[in-house]
């Protein structure tokens, strides 16, 4: 084991891991964080806490992570390269680890253009691949990015994102390989609606043996309505929603569309369970967190393993 | 070249209001090529300002001049004989030229007529696009001759991000995805293996990271 | 303003409007003497600066007359001219002179009547708009000095 991360232990023990996410509130409302996180207790192995997602100002991921950690849950600190330079990143990583936050996700982040501060400068001092490498060196070498020794290096279990659906498709496995080379431990993918294309990507991943070097959690987002399906299809960059799905959502009456969305998501999970190299699921129920327990249960992923169950089973990450 | 665009006339009119005798100075270099501040643009702006202030009943006295370069002291001297006959200079050079005018002629106010934009190239007549941010440590050799720093919206040295769609950037479909261009070019060169070499975190000191920069060539220095 | 006789400058393409003017003459069509024709090899040659300088020096209106769409002798000089004209219109609006004082017209060499009609119509339009405000200010300034 590289870290004390619960997520790592569960993945290493060979269980299908389940993570979900909690978007911090747009104001000083710690109780909102607690409410959202409480719904996920006993249901997931890690709670991603987004970092100013869609470039909108929210409570900092670090602060919300601390709140969640204090509740005895396992937060996953998301960090985007858009808002911080390497000094700020490293100090926050040390700070997070000092609060018992041992798992993080390195991202480049949505461009400021999409958020509520389009006039802001994007920092982009380093990119997500370089961030992975920096965090790995903080852990493995005990050194800051600038080369100095760290007195008490943070032992982060390092995640990153992968989007199998963006262009150019032929680069998508190679980009994952770059992250693996940089030292990433686990991957959470973009929401999967086009399962055929995802399987094609996984084939490429397996052909290069990358699935044995990194844990891949398949990203799942239930659709609430046909409107959401259309929005995801047409407005969200890098999202691949097949026409059949939009048609299927539109084919049921409005009041039954939410249930249809959940059915689709359960079918997707079921199919992905059979895909070699998929080691778990990342459920992004956008403003629909209360549905996560139901989805996890209906997907047959409950109960969650107790983390200490198999503490010394393999590293799984050779 | 350094590219620029003329400021809105409203803004120029406002800054000239307190003055009567104006020296309108163009530059024969980059801003001529990007049709922002050359001799012709000086003529057009001079006519426009002249007509406006005449109509307002406060005619200006505009002298037009276009220097070979405003960013070199030798050429700037051509302005010297005019200086005691003008109340202000309106420079149609890039920000470099404007500052050199200000440095050389301390007593006369100088105003920029242009907004300096970027270092770029002409993609087609009438269109200029950003190509370089002067990072001071060129990576073009390993990125197929396409700059990820100036041409990727997120400045990714290890792109593309998940927002690349059909060769276009998520920020704006008018922007080519730099990493698509890099990949296409690496393929054309038969150098796709370069893609998987992770580019390390950039040292920004050769760029703006170490404060305003200077180049000193001892062999040429006086 | 009763005696206002507008000064109009017309940049006419050698291959169409200028020949059309000739045609109008040989057809003995009347058109206002206010229009001063400047022959250009192609309207693509007409730049913003030519239009601006004409107005600055006292023209009340300026028009550019080029070939019909698709008929430019130099392929697309007329469409370029149209784009430049749009640029100048905006400029004139910005300085308070008014973009309606400049216009682009298209015609072929055989359209003598169209040439005469255009010249008359544009002259009347400018007559309605009144003198170029710059000229009025210039006149006043001169009177004040004189």
């Amino acid at each position: 084991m590289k870290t004390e991360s619960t997520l790592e232990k569960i993945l290493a023990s060979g269980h299908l891991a389940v993570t979900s996410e909690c978007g911090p509130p747009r104001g000083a409302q710690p109780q909102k964080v607690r409410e959202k996180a409480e719904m996920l207790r006993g249901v997931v192995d890690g709670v991603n806490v987004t970092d100013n997602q869609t470039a909108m100002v929210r409570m900092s991921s670090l602060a919300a992570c601390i709140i969640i950690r204090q509740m005895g849950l396992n937060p996953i600190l998301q960090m985007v390269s858009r808002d911080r330079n390497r000094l700020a990143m490293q100090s926050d990583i040390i700070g997070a680890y000092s609060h018992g936050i041992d798992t993080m996700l390195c991202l480049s982040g949505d461009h400021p253009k999409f958020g509520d501060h389009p006039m802001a400068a994007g920092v982009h001092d380093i990119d997500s691949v370089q961030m992975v490498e920096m965090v790995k060196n903080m852990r493995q070498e005990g050194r800051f990015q600038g080369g100095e020794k760290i007195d008490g290096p943070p032992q982060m279990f390092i995640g990153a994102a992968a989007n199998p659906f963006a262009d150019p498709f032929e680069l998508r496995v190679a980009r994952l390989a770059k992250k693996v080379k940089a030292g990433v431990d686990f991957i959470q993918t973009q929401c999967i609606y086009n399962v055929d294309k995802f399987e094609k990507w996984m084939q490429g991943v397996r052909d290069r043996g990358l699935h044995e070097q990194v844990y891949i959690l398949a990203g799942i987002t239930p659709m609430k309505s046909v409107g959401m399906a259309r929005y995801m299809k047409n407005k969200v960059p890098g999202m691949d929603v097949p026409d059949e799905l939009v048609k299927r959502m539109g084919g049921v009456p409005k009041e039954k569309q939410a249930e249809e969305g959940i059915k689709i998501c359960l079918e997707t999970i079921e199919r992905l369970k059979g895909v070699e190299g998929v080691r778990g699921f990342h459920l992004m129920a956008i403003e629909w967190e209360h549905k996560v327990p139901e989805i996890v249960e209906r997907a047959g992923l409950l109960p969650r393993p107790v983390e200490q169950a198999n503490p010394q089973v393999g590293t799984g990450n050779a | 070249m350094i590219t620029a665009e003329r400021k809105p006339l409203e803004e120029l009119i406002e800054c000239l209001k307190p003055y009567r005798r104006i020296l309108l100075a163009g530059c024969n270099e980059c801003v001529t090529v990007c049709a922002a501040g050359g001799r012709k643009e000086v003529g057009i702006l001079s006519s426009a300002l002249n007509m406006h202030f005449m109509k307002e009943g406060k005619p200006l006295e505009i002298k037009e001049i276009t220097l070979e370069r405003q960013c070199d002291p030798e050429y700037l001297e051509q302005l010297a004989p005019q200086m005691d006959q003008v109340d202000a200079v309106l420079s149609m050079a890039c920000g470099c030229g404007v500052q050199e005018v200000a440095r050389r002629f301390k007593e006369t106010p100088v105003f920029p007529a242009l907004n300096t934009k970027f270092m770029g190239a002409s993609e087609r007549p009438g269109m200029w696009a950003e190509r370089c941010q002067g990072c001071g440590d060129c990576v073009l050799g390993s990125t197929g001759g396409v700059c990820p720093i100036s041409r990727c919206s997120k400045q990714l040295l290890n792109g593309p991000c998940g927002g690349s769609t059909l060769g276009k950037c998520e920020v704006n479909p008018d922007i080519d995805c730099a990493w698509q261009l890099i990949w296409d070019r690496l393929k054309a060169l038969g150098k796709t293996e370069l893609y998987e070499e992770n580019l390390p975190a950039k040292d920004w000191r050769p760029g703006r990271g170490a404060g305003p920069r200077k180049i000193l060539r001892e062999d040429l220095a006086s | 303003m009763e005696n206002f006789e507008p000064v109009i400058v017309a940049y006419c393409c050698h291959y169409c409007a200028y020949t059309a003017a000739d045609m109008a003459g040989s057809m003995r069509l009347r058109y206002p003497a206010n229009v001063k024709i400047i022959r250009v090899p192609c309207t693509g040659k007409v730049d913003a600066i030519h239009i601006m300088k004409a107005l600055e020096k006292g023209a009340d209106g300026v028009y550019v007359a080029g070939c019909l769409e698709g008929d430019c002798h130099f392929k697309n000089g007329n469409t370029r001219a149209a784009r430049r004209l749009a640029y100048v219109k905006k400029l004139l609006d910005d300085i308070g002179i008014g973009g309606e004082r400049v216009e682009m017209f298209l015609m072929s060499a055989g359209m003598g009547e169209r040439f005469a009609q255009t010249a008359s119509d544009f002259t009347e339009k400018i007559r309605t708009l009144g003198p170029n405000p710059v000229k009025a200010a210039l006149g006043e300034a001169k009177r004040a000095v004189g």
Side-chain angles (χ1 to χ4, degrees), chain B residues 102-137:
Chain B
R103 189 165 73 96
R104 169 65 183 80
F105 303 105
K106 297 197 167 32
E107 314 287 311
T108 312
V110 53
F111 297 96
L114 307 183
N115 288 321
T116 307
K117 308 285 279 197
F118 50 78
M119 283 186 271
S122 176
E123 280 191 349
R124 56 179 169 83
M127 188 203 263
W128 295 269
E130 183 154 22
R131 289 288 184 269
C132 178
Q133 288 189 354
C135 75
D137 183 17

Side-chain angles (χ1 to χ4, degrees), chain C residues 6-12 32-38:
Chain C
V7 175
I8 312 285
V9 173
Y11 292 102
C12 294
N34 308 58
V35 178
K36 321 288 180 211
I37 296 175
I38 295 174

Side-chain angles (χ1 to χ4, degrees), chain B residues 147-184:
Chain B
C147 174
I149 294 165
S150 58
R151 301 183 67 180
C152 168
S153 298
K154 294 181 187 170
Q155 205 168 279
L156 301 182
L157 282 164
N158 296 284
C161 77
S164 177
T165 308
L166 299 172
K168 298 296 174 182
C169 174
E170 65 174 18
V171 168
N172 183 337
D174 292 338
I175 303 171
D176 289 325
C177 169
W179 277 97
Q180 176 80 58
L181 297 177
I182 291 169
W183 177 243
D184 291 345

Side-chain angles (χ1 to χ4, degrees), chain B residues 46-147:
Chain B
S46 163
S47 287
L49 292 170
N50 210 4
M51 284 195 265
H52 172 81
F53 280 95
M54 223 188 276
K55 180 179 141 281
E56 298 294 301
K58 294 178 287 184
L60 295 178
E61 203 179 288
I62 303 179
K63 280 197 167 72
E64 297 177 23
I65 187 167
T66 298
L67 303 185
E68 194 54 34
R69 268 199 291 287
Q70 285 191 30
C71 54
D72 261 332
E74 289 80 358
Y75 296 108
L76 270 182
E77 280 315 308
Q78 292 170 23
L79 296 183
Q82 315 270 1
M83 278 301 164
D84 57 347
Q85 299 151 45
V86 300
D87 304 322
V89 179
L90 184 60
S91 166
M92 293 196 86
C94 70
C96 312
V98 177
Q99 291 185 62
E100 288 316 284
V101 174
R103 189 165 73 96
R104 169 65 183 80
F105 303 105
K106 297 197 167 32
E107 314 287 311
T108 312
V110 53
F111 297 96
L114 307 183
N115 288 321
T116 307
K117 308 285 279 197
F118 50 78
M119 283 186 271
S122 176
E123 280 191 349
R124 56 179 169 83
M127 188 203 263
W128 295 269
E130 183 154 22
R131 289 288 184 269
C132 178
Q133 288 189 354
C135 75
D137 183 17
C138 193
V139 297
L140 286 169
S142 43
T143 57
V146 178
C147 174

Side-chain angles (χ1 to χ4, degrees), chain B residues 6 9-10 13 39-44 46-52 54-57 59 64 125, chain C residues 47-49 51-53 55-56 80 87 90-92 94-97 132-135 137-138 141:
Chain B
R6 199 198 65 227
L9 274 164
E10 205 184 346
I13 287 167
R39 184 164 289 128
K40 191 195 280 179
E41 291 73 30
V42 165
I44 294 169
S46 163
S47 287
L49 292 170
N50 210 4
M51 284 195 265
H52 172 81
M54 223 188 276
K55 180 179 141 281
E56 298 294 301
E64 297 177 23
Chain C
D47 192 273
I49 196 162
I51 304 172
M52 293 298 285
K53 290 293 173 200
L55 289 166
E56 189 189 3
R80 283 165 183 245
Y87 175 83
K90 166 86 173 56
L91 208 55
L92 292 173
D94 287 351
I95 57 172
I97 299 296
N132 177 350
V134 171
K135 197 161 69 175
L138 202 63

Side-chain angles (χ1 to χ4, degrees), chain B residues 207-208 210-214:
Chain B
R208 269 286 297 178
R213 294 169 278 177
K214 274 185 186 170

Side-chain angles (χ1 to χ4, degrees), chain A residues 86 108-109 111 113-114 124-127 129-130 145 163 166-168 170-172 174-175 177-178 181-182 208 237-238, chain B residues 153-166 170-171 179-180 183 187 195-202 204:
Chain A
R86 62 193 91 178
S108 51
H111 194 273
K113 182 210 143 151
F114 297 105
H124 303 300
D125 175 23
I126 60 175
D127 65 22
V129 172
Q130 294 158 349
Q145 202 275 335
N163 184 355
D167 293 322
E170 56 185 336
L171 265 193
R172 289 297 145 185
R175 183 117 199 280
K178 282 170 78 87
K181 199 179 205 177
R208 296 190 50 174
Chain B
S153 298
K154 294 181 187 170
Q155 205 168 279
L156 301 182
L157 282 164
N158 296 284
C161 77
S164 177
T165 308
L166 299 172
E170 65 174 18
V171 168
W179 277 97
Q180 176 80 58
W183 177 243
K187 272 197 295 189
Y195 174 75
E196 287 196 30
E197 306 257 326
N198 284 350
L199 288 176
K202 200 160 171 68
W204 295 109

Side-chain angles (χ1 to χ4, degrees), chain C residues 93-114:
Chain C
D93 283 336
D94 287 351
I95 57 172
I97 299 296
E100 67 276 10
R101 286 186 184 274
V102 298
E103 216 54 76
M104 173 99 193
F105 298 108
L106 305 181
M107 61 190 70
S108 74
M111 294 178 170
E113 263 174 74
R114 169 95 159 251

